[in-house]
Amino acid sequence: MSPTQLRVGIIGASARSGWAQVSHVPAIQALDGVTLAAVATRREESAREAAAAFGAPAWYSDPLAMIQDSSIDVVTVAVNVPDHRDLVLAALDAGKAVYCEAPLGSSPAETQMLAAAAQRSGHGVIGLQGRLNPSVRRAAQIIAEGGIGRPLNARVVSTTSAWGPATASAYEYFEKKDSGASLLTITAGHTLDIIEALLGEITEADARTEILWPHPRLLDTDGQTSREVPDHAEILAKTSMDTAVSASIVGGVPPEQGDFQLTLRGTDGWLSLTGGSMYGVQGGDLTLTSSAVFDAPDKPAAPAASAGPELNVAELYARLAQDVETGSRTAPDFTHALHNTRLVAAVSEAAESGQRWASSVR
């Protein structure tokens, strides 16, 4: 690793659209000690365009070639979920630290295999960045220190503009069950992770899911597709703190109405987290209010970053840089990703079977 800069190469950095453009690139640009060293896409034209747009000194039309570049410390995998496996394995085999977007794999079995590979090879961190939001961290501290007494029950509404009545053909794979990219694995996965960051592991869950728009329109082709995955979910859960949680995971809201609301009631008070974005709770800042007296949340790792998608992503890069430098393990890793994937699978099974899921570890 560079002694002064953590050098990142992003696979899937398009200058025209995509999650990397709105989150990873501005997060890296706003951080001290982290630099964008290279970008990779599948086509030379788009790779050149991305490098010019983002100020990256190197570009690759072959992601595997970028992975082998000795000047790259961290490989960020920000491509479609079905393509994660081979790229993550190649980066781990090359001895790189890997930052992979969530979900890690397209199935629990694939996620387990990737988690095992990371344990053998080195750093693997997962893009469950919402738990690192400064307001979430302060809320967790209030709860842990008994600021609102014993946490009794939480009500959560978590929305996204995805999985609505219309989409584009480039995102049609989100509608297919075998892709591993769905409202449950993405929006619910991020939401459940924040709940666990605050209230401990989820130990029981009942769920119901619905497909409210079974045939979304494809806006760019004027066609339509078939939705195989839920676009709405209701989850009733219990955590290791014996806190009852009800969560509504809502797809297809208008972009300007994307939000997140969590209200927690305790024996001696309450707290609330509000905010979110059209991308889901992971893609925006949150505001903390509480009946308890508390210190303001810590300043963001990248104070110059906006309150958009880059804010929480920058928190994860800052943790990764610290971990690589010191050997610590503060960023959510691939073992954490496996836990989240298994939890989402359990919630999905509860919805399909109508049977309550209970963890074997109580």
Side-chain angles (χ1 to χ4, degrees):
M1 189 189 78
S2 164
T4 58
Q5 292 285 326
L6 190 71
R7 301 164 299 187
V8 180
I10 302 177
I11 303 174
S14 169
R16 301 190 181 189
S17 63
W19 180 247
Q21 178 199 35
V22 299
S23 64
H24 288 276
V25 171
I28 292 168
Q29 292 172 338
L31 280 169
D32 293 329
V34 182
T35 188
L36 181 60
V39 293
T41 68
R42 295 291 185 184
R43 295 184 300 110
E44 179 177 335
E45 179 184 3
S46 60
R48 283 180 178 272
E49 182 181 45
F54 303 144
W59 59 267
Y60 291 87
S61 57
D62 179 2
L64 296 177
M66 191 197 78
I67 287 171
Q68 296 301 321
D69 185 339
S70 61
S71 70
I72 302 296
D73 303 311
V74 177
V75 173
T76 292
V77 178
V79 295
N80 291 352
V81 178
D83 296 328
H84 285 184
R85 177 185 180 276
D86 291 346
L87 295 171
V88 168
L89 287 176
L92 291 173
D93 288 345
K96 308 294 185 179
V98 182
Y99 179 156
C100 184
E101 276 302 323
L104 175 58
S106 58
S107 69
E110 185 171 283
T111 303
Q112 182 174 5
M113 181 269 291
L114 293 172
Q119 284 188 327
R120 293 190 301 269
S121 303
H123 283 283
V125 300
I126 188 66
L128 289 170
Q129 68 272 10
R131 64 169 39 235
L132 300 180
N133 178 271
S135 291
V136 173
R137 301 201 312 266
R138 183 66 77 231
Q141 181 183 22
I142 293 171
I143 296 165
E145 293 178 351
I148 62 169
R150 180 169 63 87
L152 299 174
N153 64 284
R155 177 76 176 105
V156 182
V157 178
S158 185
T159 74
T160 174
S161 62
W163 296 286
T167 186
S169 55
Y171 301 108
E172 190 175 0
Y173 91 105
F174 279 96
E175 313 296 344
K176 306 308 175 185
K177 189 173 183 178
D178 62 1
S179 74
S182 69
L183 180 82
L184 288 179
T185 63
I186 298 176
T187 308
H190 284 283
T191 303
L192 294 173
D193 190 57
I194 289 175
I195 291 169
E196 290 197 321
L198 298 172
L199 299 169
E201 288 192 10
I202 291 172
T203 58
E204 298 179 17
D206 292 294
R208 175 159 183 165
T209 58
E210 299 288 346
I211 300 178
L212 303 180
W213 291 288
H215 301 292
R217 291 182 299 117
L218 297 175
L219 296 175
D220 55 325
T221 65
D222 200 31
Q224 69 176 28
T225 187
S226 295
R227 176 164 290 155
E228 302 172 358
V229 295
D231 47 36
H232 186 100
E234 298 288 338
I235 303 168
L236 182 62
K238 186 176 181 180
T239 77
S240 60
M241 291 185 181
D242 283 334
T243 307
V245 179
S246 59
S248 297
I249 315 297
V250 183
V253 302
E256 66 276 9
Q257 294 179 18
D259 68 351
F260 176 85
Q261 303 171 30
L262 182 151
T263 302
L264 173 64
R265 184 171 64 95
T267 54
D268 301 323
W270 58 271
L271 65 75
S272 176
L273 288 165
T274 58
S277 74
M278 62 178 283
Y279 302 101
V281 62
Q282 72 278 11
D285 199 8
L286 296 173
T287 299
L288 170 65
T289 55
S290 178
S291 61
V293 176
F294 62 92
D295 293 334
D298 295 334
K299 291 183 179 180
S306 74
E310 68 268 30
L311 185 141
N312 297 328
V313 170
E315 296 293 325
L316 206 157
Y317 273 113
R319 293 292 185 97
L320 175 56
Q322 173 186 320
D323 291 346
V324 170
E325 181 178 356
T326 67
S328 58
R329 289 286 189 270
T330 63
D333 61 12
F334 283 7
T335 300
H336 189 96
L338 179 58
H339 168 78
N340 185 257
T341 292
R342 286 173 169 167
L343 176 59
V344 169
V347 168
S348 180
E349 175 60 27
E352 292 178 4
S353 68
Q355 300 292 318
R356 173 175 295 183
W357 167 81
S359 170
S360 59
V361 181
R362 304 294 294 279

